[in-house]
């Protein structure tokens, strides 16, 4: 091979660079945040601009319980990472399972909320600007929760099969960062849709 | 010739810049452009109204600065490329390596900053002079509504509705007469642009924009829709007639009259009223109250039809009604499939609506 | 390949399975590849095909516009032509060709063996490629109800409400949104990959402050992509919701806003033009020093200027909306923020000038393209500043002056630098030089055609000719100018044909290049041409910005000065 010889190495042996997975996830989060910002801006811009009912005040209830579930799942996933790092696989599985469960409850209650809105309050994505922006924003977030749940669920299955060990900590940590992001977005969505937008 | 242009542009320049800036040689370039333009000028450098004039003054200033930057930076580049070309014998040695200099770096950061501050202040002045000008009490109000491929003009205080040919009074510098345009759209975005009178302003559904014009010379001004609005965006032409006060009052009086219903055209009128025409067109004093197409109450008095795309002669009018797509493919008026007899009658009727 | 075959032989596989059919195996190799160089080349090849298609569309438009009241194409066809031309050039020529070079060069220049996420890389390419195919599929399948196929005709920024079902029935607009959406997803994927590669896979010793400027620029450009392409993706999702689910985001009849789309589009659209121009700057940063035989002047300032452009570019979008009626305060603000971009951009121009200054300029083809770029970009930037003066823009906006401005950048700066990059890196990619003689022909024909087309295109704009008109009245005095512009396009076409011929001919007959034909300084020139699939037999170690300079001048290495 006609490769020109490399230059001698005067820098010593220390050569550390950031983790590939974390950098990738940070980029993904930056891009996703921008998408959410646009949807949030559209939501705020159109609050109170609907030409017909129903209005948010008439039909929206504060989803306190599901919010608590989602936010606590951030804590449980954090513990899961911690346990995985320490190779305590049993506890890791327990924390991971509770994360999936809490996330599942959140999605289920969103589904219930939508069912009520569609069949009792007659609010669909076509009804008015509120319907359009509401379902889009909340739906966009929910789709991210579902994506996260699928990945966490896979991790859980692999863990139950005994295929997960402390070597996978970094990967799982990347996943947990995504989950924290999804939670953080919910805080924004919650504030905009249920607090300010009502 | 040259000095005449120079003189006129110096005057313009002084007015636009408040006399504070000396005109530069750059003024001659736009003057040249003014000569190149066709018989009906849509040249942005031939302003005939205050907004266009102040923009013109500003643009000459900006052109001058940009030209200077171009000459300096381009000159340095040319010099460097020629001076530092590799010559025979240079192949064996590398030139001295220079890695940078903070002082130099700083100087070519600061100078551009100063330039843009100047440009910004000059722009801001014109922005506010134009967009924040107080509306004079005697201003004429016109509502402009953009439709796919034609213009609707309403004079709310005068009770006039017309289409495609806008009439406004000329503005004498001694007695300024400003026309305020309040604009919106019935469908997609459009933009109202008559280069000699003012810059363009978009017409957007659900949004009301305003602009003002004050033509300083009587006559016809041309322009056209400047925001892509669909198939026939290209033939959504604008005609603005700046009338002398007498002409304008005569025009207003004409428009305010109920459309003439000449007995000779009674047959055509029946054809018109008993066809789908009435679904889209209005003729004052009749049952035709459609609003989808242009108001036809005084269509016979217009110089053009189809938004300036066609001269309003009886043959053209007939051909247009027969099949609008012959002139304006994609226009939203369908071919009406009238038989020859009805077609002639309708044409005759519409021509009498003066 | 060789190792592969012998491994198969060892495994005792039957002959047929060891050597699958010729063409098919090549296709399979390229379709399934995750090698950054192959993916890069696929991006580039795909973009070149679209360049010819979109260029042909431009030619058709120029034929139609050469004389007033022309009937060469119908208004409907013309509107599709400029929509397809603009969309294709931006999303399926500009983006992929630049991502292609990025893919090919970034790992080589930082001394890595591949991209950070090779499989994501291949996914991103194929999803973008599918987007382009989808866009052109509309010609055949655009609208079910309205007869034969139609391509989209809403313009490349597709203002609402023209894109709503009411004004754009049928499916052509759907093809437009979906293809742009897919291209956006692909772009974000590749951008992510580039950042992760540059930040985590540099060879030993390559601190960020030693990273080649081209790589820096790709990182910055990818950073813009995250925050700028995503809003477009979001807006396209909204449009899809409107068109398919009956939503009202941009439905003006239900209280929706047409202006909101403009904001969303230009929040993407403006940074997008810097996404396109930054890699062109990056090529200039590599080529100009090598052919001036001097280190780049002011490396830190160049990095800072790139980052500065990125930040400022996020706050200038509404200069595309000066005529929308935003009010005087917003107009003044965006006038200012837009002009601020001139400062970091000026820094770049001046640093290139200073790099040339005192050098020994060798006028090889890559360098003459770069010199053309410097002049043309200077002019394009200055016409940009004129547009930024909002009152001036009230006259110039949406006129042919704007069209001239942006072709000056997109063709005069970006396309020129893309060609420069071809001449510069083709030897690395293929192992053979492009013909210098044909290269000079290509350059001079293009310069001539470019100036004939786009210099004179400013004039009808000043004379009041709006863009996107399929024809114009004869009495406006625009005819002669348009004729000149159209003739210029023919010269550009010939030059592109010369280029394509050069690409093909030199592949077989070009002079053998060797690893380092230009006597250059960055790592890609330290491996063979073309590079082996693993890039470097032994991963390099560097101690300055110009490792090969250090190698060639052991007595006076760069590391003494940094
Ligand atoms: C890669 C592409 C690219 C680049 C780099 C630019 C660069 C710039 N552009 Fe351009 N632009 C486009 C592509 C690009 N543009 C496109 C595609 C459109 C139209 C979209 C459409 O409508 O379809 C457009 C439209 C457009 C408009 C809107 C016009 C309208 O539609 O009404 C404006 C207005 O401000 C503008 C301004 C600028 C400015 C100020 C710069 C600046 O970045 C230029 C900065 C550079 C310099 C100024 C030169 C070098 C500097 C110096 C030598 C220092 C000294 C100079 C000074 C102090 C002034 N551009
Ligand atoms: C990277 C971007 C890019 C590039 C390179 C170009 C290149 C060219 N463009 Fe384009 N253009 C845009 C981006 C670009 N354009 C955009 C974004 C718009 C706005 C669209 C909109 O309004 O929505 C636009 C709009 C636009 C218009 C305005 C349309 C209108 O408003 O009505 C025109 C008109 O002249 C034009 C012309 C050209 C020409 C002559 C070239 C030439 O430089 C092209 C030269 C290349 C070739 C000619 C290819 C070579 C072809 C062959 C080798 C094949 C030969 C085939 C045959 C002979 C059939 N372009
Ligand atoms: Cu109306 Cu273009
Ligand atoms: Cu811009």
């Amino acid at each position: 091979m006609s490769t020109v010889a490399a230059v001698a190495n005067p820098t010593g042996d220390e050569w550390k660079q950031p983790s590939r997975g974390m950098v990738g996830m940070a980029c993904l989060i930056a891009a996703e945040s921008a998408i959410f910002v646009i949807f949030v801006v559209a939501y705020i811009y159109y609050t109170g601009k609907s030409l017909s009912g129903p209005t948010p005040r008439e039909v929206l209830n504060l989803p306190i319980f599901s919010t608590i579930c989602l936010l606590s799942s951030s804590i449980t996933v954090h513990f899961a990472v911690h346990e995985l790092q320490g190779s305590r696989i049993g506890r890791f599985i327990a924390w991971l399972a509770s994360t999936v469960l809490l996330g599942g409850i959140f999605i289920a209650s969103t589904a219930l909320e939508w069912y009520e809105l569609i069949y009792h309050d007659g609010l669909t994505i076509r009804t008015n600007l509120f319907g359009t922006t509401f379902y889009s924003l909340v739906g966009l977030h929910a789709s991210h929760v579902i994506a996260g749940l699928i990945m966490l669920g896979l991790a859980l299955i692999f863990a139950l099969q005994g295929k997960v060990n402390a070597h996978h900590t970094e990967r799982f940590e990347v996943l947990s960062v995504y989950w924290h992001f999804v939670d953080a977005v919910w805080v924004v969505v919650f504030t905009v849709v249920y607090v300010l937008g009502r | 010739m040259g000095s005449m242009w120079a003189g006129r542009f110096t005057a313009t320049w002084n007015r636009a810049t408040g006399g504070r800036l000396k005109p530069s040689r750059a003024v001659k370039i736009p003057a040249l452009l003014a000569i190149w333009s066709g018989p009906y000028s849509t040249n942005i450098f031939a302003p005939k109204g205050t907004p266009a004039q102040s923009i013109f003054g500003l643009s000459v200033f900006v052109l001058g600065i940009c030209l200077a930057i171009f000459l300096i930076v381009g000159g340095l580049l040319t010099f460097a490329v020629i001076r530092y070309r590799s010559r025979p014998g240079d192949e064996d040695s590398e030139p001295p390596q220079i890695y940078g200099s903070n002082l130099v770096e700083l100087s070519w950061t600061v100078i551009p900053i100063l330039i843009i501050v100047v440009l910004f202040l000059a722009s801001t002045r014109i922005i506010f002079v134009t967009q924040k000008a107080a509306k004079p009490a005697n201003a004429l109000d016109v509502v402009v509504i953009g439709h796919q491929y034609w213009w609707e003009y309403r004079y709310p205080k005068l009770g006039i509705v017309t289409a495609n040919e806008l009439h406004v009074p000329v503005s004498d510098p001694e007695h300024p007469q400003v026309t305020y345009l309040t604009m919106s759209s019935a469908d997609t975005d459009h933009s109202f642009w008559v280069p000699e009178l003012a810059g363009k302003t978009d017409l957007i559904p659900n949004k009301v924009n305003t602009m003002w014009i004050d033509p300083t010379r009587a006559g016809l001004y041309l322009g056209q829709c400047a925001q892509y609005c669909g198939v026939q965006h290209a033939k959504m032409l604008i005609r603005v007639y700046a009338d002398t006060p007498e002409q304008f009052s005569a025009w207003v009086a004409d428009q305010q009259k109920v459309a003439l219903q000449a007995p000779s055209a009674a047959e055509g009128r029946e054809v018109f009223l008993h066809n789908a025409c009435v679904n889209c067109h209005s003729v004052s004093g009749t049952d035709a109250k459609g609003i989808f197409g242009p108001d036809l109450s005084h269509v016979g008095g217009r110089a053009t039809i189809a938004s300036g795309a066609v001269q309003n002669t009886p043959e053209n009018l007939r051909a247009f009604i027969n099949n609008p797509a012959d002139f304006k493919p994609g226009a939203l008026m369908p071919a009406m499939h009238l038989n020859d007899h009805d077609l002639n009658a309708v044409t005759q009727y519409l021509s009498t609506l003066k | 390949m060789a190792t592969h075959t012998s491994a198969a032989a060892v495994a005792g596989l039957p002959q047929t399975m060891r050597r699958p059919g010729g063409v098919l195996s090549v296709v399979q190799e390229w379709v399934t590849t995750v090698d950054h160089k192959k993916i890069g080349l696929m991006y580039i090849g795909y973009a070149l095909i679209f360049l010819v298609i979109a260029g042909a569309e431009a030619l058709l438009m120029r034929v139609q516009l050469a004389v007033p009241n022309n009937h060469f194409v119908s208004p409907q066809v013309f509107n599709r032509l400029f929509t397809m031309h603009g969309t294709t050039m931006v999303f399926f020529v500009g983006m992929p060709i630049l991502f292609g070079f990025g893919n090919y060069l970034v790992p080589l220049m930082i001394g890595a063996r591949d991209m950070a996420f090779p499989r994501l890389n291949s996914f991103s390419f194929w999803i973008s490629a599918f987007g382009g195919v989808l866009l052109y599929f509309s010609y055949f399948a655009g609208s079910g109800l309205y007869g034969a196929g139609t391509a989209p005709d809403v313009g490349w920024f597709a203002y609402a409400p023209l894109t709503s079902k009411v004004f754009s029935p049928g499916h052509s607009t759907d093809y437009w949104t979906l293809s742009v959406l897919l291209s956006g997803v692909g772009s974000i994927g590749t951008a992510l990959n580039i950042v992760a590669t540059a930040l985590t896979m540099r060879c030993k010793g390559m601190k960020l402050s030693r990273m080649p400027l081209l790589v820096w620029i790709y990182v910055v450009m990818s950073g813009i992509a995250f925050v700028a392409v995503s809003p477009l993706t979001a807006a396209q999702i909204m449009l899809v919701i409107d068109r398919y689910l009956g939503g009202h985001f941009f439905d003006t009849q239900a209280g929706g806003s047409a202006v909101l789309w403009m904001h969303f589009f230009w929040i993407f659209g403006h940074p997008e033009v810097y996404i396109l121009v930054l890699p062109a700057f990056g090529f200039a940063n590599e080529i100009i020093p090598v052919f001036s035989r001097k280190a780049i002047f002011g490396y830190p300032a160049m990095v800072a200027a790139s980052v500065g452009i990125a930040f400022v570019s996020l706050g200038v979008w509404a200069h595309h909306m000066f005529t929308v009626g935003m009010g005087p305060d917003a107009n003044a603000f965006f006038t200012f923020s837009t002009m601020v971009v001139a400062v970091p951009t000026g820094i770049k121009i001046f640093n290139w000038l200073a790099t040339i200054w005192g050098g020994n300029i060798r006028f090889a083809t890559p360098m003459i393209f770069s010199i053309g770029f410097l002049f043309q970009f200077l002019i394009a930037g200055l016409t940009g500043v004129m547009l930024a003066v909002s009152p001036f823009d009230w006259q110039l906006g949406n006129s042919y002056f704007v069209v001239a401005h942006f072709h000056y950048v997109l063709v005069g700066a970006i396309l020129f630098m893309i060609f420069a990059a071809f001449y510069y890196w083709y030897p690395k990619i293929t192992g053979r030089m492009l013909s210098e003689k044909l290269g000079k022909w290509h350059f001079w024909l293009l310069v001539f055609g470019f100036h004939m087309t786009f210099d004179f295109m400013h004039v009808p704009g000043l004379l009041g000719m709006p863009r996107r008109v399929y024809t114009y009245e004869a009495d406006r005095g625009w005819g002669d100018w348009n004729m000149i512009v159209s003739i210029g396009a023919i010269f550009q076409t010939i030059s592109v044909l010369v280029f394509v011929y050069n690409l093909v001919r030199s592949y077989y007959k070009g002079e053998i290049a060797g690893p380092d034909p230009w006597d250059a300084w960055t790592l890609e020139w330290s491996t063979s041409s073309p590079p082996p699939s693993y890039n470097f037999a032994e991963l390099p170690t560097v101690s300055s910005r110009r490792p090969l300079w250090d190698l060639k001048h052991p007595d006076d290495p760069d590391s003494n000065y940094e």
Side-chain angles (χ1 to χ4, degrees):
Chain A
M1 199 51 49
S2 60
T3 307
V4 176
V7 186
N9 171 18
T11 48
D13 293 325
E14 260 324 290
W15 188 241
K16 268 199 75 146
Q17 293 179 95
S19 133
R20 207 185 289 192
M22 279 301 178
V23 172
M25 184 50 72
C27 296
L28 183 69
I29 288 178
E32 293 269 28
S33 309
I35 295 188
F36 276 107
V37 166
I38 295 296
F39 274 88
V40 167
V41 167
Y43 192 91
I44 295 175
Y45 184 85
Y46 281 141
T47 34
K49 294 231 170 75
S50 295
L51 300 183
S52 61
T55 63
R57 181 164 288 283
E58 287 161 11
V59 295
L60 287 190
N61 298 314
L62 281 186
I64 305 275
F65 176 66
S66 64
T67 301
I68 293 176
C69 288
L70 190 65
L71 295 188
S72 22
S73 75
S74 240
I75 304 172
T76 54
V77 86
H78 174 79
F79 284 132
V81 174
H82 186 73
E83 301 298 347
L84 185 58
Q85 204 157 23
S87 283
R88 295 175 289 273
I89 300 300
R91 290 186 184 189
F92 163 70
I93 290 179
W95 284 119
L96 179 55
S98 29
T99 310
V100 174
L101 183 70
L102 289 167
I105 295 178
F106 175 83
I107 279 297
S109 50
T110 303
L112 215 63
E113 180 195 30
W114 284 27
Y115 180 85
E116 291 280 318
L117 287 174
I118 294 171
Y119 290 100
H120 294 185
D121 305 313
L123 179 76
T124 69
I125 201 163
R126 293 162 171 260
T127 310
N128 55 14
L129 280 171
F130 165 55
T132 302
T133 50
F134 172 82
Y135 287 110
S136 311
L137 178 56
V138 175
L140 185 71
H141 176 262
S143 64
H144 282 73
V145 175
I146 293 173
L149 279 179
I150 291 175
M151 288 186 289
L152 288 170
L154 284 178
L156 183 59
I157 292 173
F158 290 140
L160 288 171
Q161 290 175 340
K163 288 185 190 154
V164 177
N165 58 45
H167 292 298
H168 299 106
T169 310
E170 195 188 306
R171 282 196 197 179
F172 188 71
E173 206 176 343
V174 171
L175 181 53
S176 80
V177 169
Y178 175 81
W179 192 249
H180 291 314
F181 165 70
V182 171
D183 280 8
V185 170
W186 179 249
V187 176
V188 176
V189 173
F190 182 84
T191 320
V192 167
V193 174
Y194 296 95
V195 182
L196 303 177
R198 243 156 42 109
Chain B
M1 183 72 186
S3 65
M4 188 197 98
W5 282 106
R8 207 174 114 220
F9 281 96
T10 313
T12 309
W13 170 257
N14 285 341
R15 204 167 335 141
T17 56
R20 257 165 283 147
L21 293 158
K22 284 267 161 285
S24 68
R25 283 185 174 275
V27 175
K28 294 231 176 82
I29 296 170
L32 277 175
L33 283 170
I35 302 168
W36 285 334
S37 56
Y40 292 107
S41 164
T42 46
N43 185 347
I44 68 166
F45 292 133
K48 308 216 173 48
T50 310
Q53 200 110 46
S54 34
I55 293 174
F56 171 67
L58 176 65
S59 47
V60 171
F61 176 63
V62 174
L63 279 171
I65 290 192
C66 289
L67 189 68
I69 296 176
F70 171 69
L71 289 180
I72 295 170
V73 181
L76 287 171
L77 272 173
T78 313
F79 172 79
V81 168
I82 295 172
R83 167 68 185 76
Y84 298 109
R85 69 187 187 280
S86 170
R87 288 160 230 234
D90 283 351
E91 291 87 37
D92 333 317
S93 66
E94 302 280 23
Q97 301 295 307
I98 299 161
Y99 298 88
S101 147
N102 288 342
L103 196 70
V104 178
E105 219 62 75
L106 190 70
S107 67
W108 61 50
T109 309
V110 172
I111 297 173
I113 291 181
L114 297 179
I115 299 177
I116 64 168
V117 168
V118 171
L119 286 174
F120 167 67
L121 293 178
S123 321
T124 314
R125 188 168 154 266
I126 305 299
I127 295 176
F128 282 84
V129 166
T130 311
Q131 294 200 314
K132 281 238 167 125
K135 181 172 170 181
N138 71 340
L140 171 71
D141 277 303
V142 180
V143 174
V144 182
I145 299 170
H147 292 261
Q148 273 183 317
Y149 330 132
W150 61 280
W151 303 90
E152 175 179 348
Y153 299 116
R154 292 171 172 266
Y155 298 65
K157 293 204 192 103
L158 303 174
I160 295 174
V161 178
T162 182
N164 294 335
E165 296 186 353
L166 175 64
H167 285 255
V168 300
V170 73
S171 177
D172 171 357
E174 310 292 302
H175 310 281
Q177 170 62 62
V178 174
T179 302
Y180 257 74
L181 307 179
T182 306
M183 6 185 54
S184 195
S185 165
D187 34 56
T188 57
D189 299 351
H190 306 272
S191 192
F192 185 89
W193 187 29
V194 183
E196 293 191 338
L197 297 183
K200 60 182 74 61
T201 303
D202 292 0
L203 295 85
I204 295 169
N206 274 356
K207 184 170 189 337
V208 176
N209 282 336
T210 54
M211 67 180 274
W212 56 277
I213 52 175
D214 61 344
T216 47
R217 241 169 45 186
L220 170 62
Y221 295 92
L222 297 181
Q224 69 189 76
C225 177
Q227 183 63 274
Y228 178 62
C229 48
V231 184
Q232 271 298 347
H233 160 65
K235 293 215 168 155
M236 186 162 167
L237 310 178
I238 302 173
R239 299 169 76 85
V240 178
Y241 289 89
D243 296 340
T244 60
E246 304 76 54
Q247 284 171 331
F248 187 70
S249 343
W251 181 81
V252 168
D254 267 350
Q255 296 290 311
Q256 285 173 333
K257 273 189 250 151
V258 166
L260 171 84
Q261 307 293 335
S264 62
E267 197 188 350
R269 178 166 169 240
E270 287 314 302
V271 176
F272 183 81
L273 292 177
H274 290 98
N275 268 293
C277 316
V278 294
N279 294 339
C280 300
H281 294 286
S282 298
V283 175
S284 60
T286 73
D287 287 342
K289 300 262 184 281
I291 53 163
F292 184 74
D295 186 290
L296 299 180
S297 308
H298 301 278
V299 66
R302 301 207 267 267
T304 60
I305 50 173
S307 205
V310 184
Q311 292 303 314
N312 190 2
T313 63
E315 305 79 66
N316 283 345
L317 185 59
R318 182 181 188 280
F320 181 83
I321 297 168
N322 186 38
N323 185 12
D326 286 348
F327 296 99
K328 237 177 143 174
L332 295 186
M333 169 163 156
M336 296 304 298
H337 303 297
L338 299 178
N339 59 39
D340 274 359
H341 174 265
D342 286 1
L343 193 58
N344 292 337
V346 162
T347 310
Q348 204 252 335
Y349 167 62
L350 291 181
S351 316
T352 59
L353 296 177
K354 294 258 161 91
Chain C
M1 230 36 265
T3 45
H4 187 240
T5 325
S6 57
V10 169
L13 289 170
Q15 185 76 17
T16 46
M17 288 200 65
R18 263 184 276 144
R19 303 193 111 256
V23 181
L24 267 184
S25 76
V26 173
V27 170
Q28 194 213 10
E29 186 191 330
W30 283 82
V31 169
T32 56
T33 187
V34 295
D35 175 21
H36 74 98
K37 295 187 291 302
K38 289 218 171 80
I39 293 177
L41 289 180
M42 286 197 292
Y43 262 121
I44 293 171
Y46 162 85
L48 279 181
I49 294 171
F50 277 113
L51 173 70
V52 171
I53 295 176
E57 284 160 351
L59 278 181
L60 295 178
M61 287 195 286
R62 284 320 320 171
V63 174
Q64 165 71 12
L65 291 174
V67 293
N69 289 319
N70 199 357
H71 291 289
F72 176 67
V73 295
S74 70
Q76 289 89 345
V77 167
F78 186 88
N79 296 343
R80 283 170 208 145
L81 284 176
F82 70 70
T83 304
M84 294 296 269
H85 166 76
T87 308
T88 310
M89 282 290 193
V90 170
F91 294 102
F92 302 108
V93 178
M95 296 293 270
I97 211 164
L98 298 171
F99 276 135
F101 275 105
N103 241 306
Y104 198 97
L105 294 173
V106 166
L108 280 170
M109 292 182 101
I110 61 172
R113 292 214 160 109
D114 204 334
M115 296 286 271
F117 307 108
R119 261 169 298 189
L120 172 66
N121 203 12
S122 131
F123 169 78
S124 305
F125 168 73
W126 287 106
I127 198 103
S128 312
F130 182 60
V133 173
L134 201 61
L135 184 66
Y136 277 84
F137 187 61
S138 65
Y139 267 117
F140 309 103
S143 88
L145 270 181
Y146 290 74
T150 48
D153 56 0
V154 288
W156 90 278
F157 43 77
Y159 273 180
L162 192 60
T163 47
S164 69
K165 277 268 183 220
V166 187
F167 301 109
S168 295
H171 288 297
S172 57
T173 306
D174 300 326
Y175 281 95
W176 182 83
T177 33
L178 290 176
S179 75
V180 172
L181 190 83
L182 290 180
S183 133
V185 172
S187 301
I188 293 174
T190 304
L192 185 155
N193 228 324
I194 288 176
V195 172
T197 308
L199 293 189
T200 69
M201 300 184 59
R202 277 162 291 133
C203 67
K204 243 183 185 175
M206 189 177 283
K207 298 188 273 191
L208 283 180
S209 61
R210 287 180 186 153
M211 207 157 69
L213 280 175
L214 179 86
V215 180
W216 255 112
I217 275 189
Y218 267 104
V219 171
V220 173
M221 169 259 210
S222 305
I224 308 181
F226 299 141
V227 285
V229 177
S230 311
L232 177 71
T233 308
Q236 301 288 6
I237 295 174
M238 291 177 184
L239 188 57
V240 169
I241 290 175
D242 273 11
R243 289 186 62 92
Y244 278 99
L245 303 179
H248 306 293
F249 279 109
F250 310 114
D251 173 1
T252 45
Q253 266 138 31
S257 163
V259 179
L260 197 65
W261 170 270
M262 298 183 189
H263 281 293
F264 290 170
F265 186 88
W266 291 118
I267 284 172
F268 150 78
H270 184 81
E272 167 71 11
V273 304
Y274 292 103
I275 290 180
L276 293 173
V277 86
L278 278 175
F281 292 169
F283 300 151
N285 286 336
E286 300 304 321
I287 293 171
I288 290 176
V290 167
F291 291 91
S292 307
R293 308 306 306 155
K294 275 181 69 209
I296 189 88
F297 189 92
Y299 174 101
M302 285 302 233
V303 173
S306 304
V307 177
I309 290 179
F311 274 102
V312 179
S313 78
L314 298 178
V316 307
W317 74 89
H319 66 216
H320 296 273
M321 299 165 59
F322 284 141
T323 60
V324 167
M326 297 186 296
D329 302 321
N331 284 342
F333 172 81
F334 284 103
T335 293
F336 185 72
S337 66
T338 303
M339 286 181 182
V340 170
V341 184
V343 176
T345 317
I347 293 177
K348 284 182 174 275
I349 296 254
F350 295 126
N351 277 310
W352 288 319
L353 175 61
T355 305
I356 294 176
W357 204 275
N360 284 344
I361 307 170
R362 297 190 314 210
F363 293 101
T365 314
M367 186 62 178
I368 54 178
F369 271 100
S370 307
I371 292 172
F373 152 81
L374 286 176
F375 281 97
Q376 283 146 201
F377 182 66
L378 175 65
I379 299 175
L382 293 173
T383 55
V385 170
M386 296 175 200
L387 292 167
V389 172
S390 46
F392 205 176
D393 183 81
W394 298 334
Q395 289 285 22
L396 298 175
N398 271 344
S399 77
Y400 261 87
F401 190 91
V402 173
V403 181
H405 156 71
F406 69 71
H407 283 91
Y408 237 93
V409 208
L410 293 169
V411 181
I414 299 174
L415 203 59
F416 267 65
M417 279 324 292
I418 286 174
F419 287 139
F422 267 105
Y423 285 93
Y424 186 62
W425 280 292
Y426 187 90
K428 176 54 54 186
I429 293 170
T430 62
R432 286 175 188 269
M433 308 293 285
L434 278 171
S435 153
E436 278 285 307
K437 195 165 145 229
L438 288 173
K440 300 258 151 81
W441 272 101
H442 173 202
F443 174 76
W444 287 110
L445 280 167
L446 186 60
V447 167
F448 184 77
F450 168 80
H451 285 280
M452 189 160 174
T453 302
F454 297 114
D455 293 7
F456 291 99
M457 197 187 262
H458 291 90
V459 182
L462 299 174
L463 294 180
M465 177 168 173
R467 62 195 282 200
R468 297 174 160 185
V469 292
Y470 73 95
T471 192
Y472 49 93
E473 304 292 302
D475 61 10
R476 300 287 202 275
W478 303 336
D480 299 346
W481 302 107
N482 276 294
M483 180 54 91
I484 299 175
V485 168
S486 295
I487 295 172
I490 297 172
F491 285 93
Q492 295 187 59
T493 310
I494 300 172
S495 81
V496 173
L497 290 174
V498 171
F499 168 67
V500 172
Y501 174 68
N502 198 356
L503 282 186
V504 177
R505 200 195 86 108
S506 301
Y507 186 78
Y508 299 104
K509 300 210 177 134
E511 204 183 309
I512 300 291
D516 182 19
W518 307 115
D519 193 4
W521 302 312
T522 37
L523 283 179
E524 77 271 30
W525 305 106
S526 72
T527 186
S528 59
S529 306
S533 63
Y534 42 85
N535 291 353
F536 300 97
E538 186 189 337
L539 284 184
T541 307
V542 302
S543 53
S544 84
R545 286 172 200 147
R546 295 192 295 170
L548 270 62
W549 169 276
D550 294 358
L551 205 71
K552 293 167 188 169
H553 303 264
D555 44 317
D556 189 24
D558 262 7
S559 40
N560 292 355
Y561 304 97
E562 278 167 14

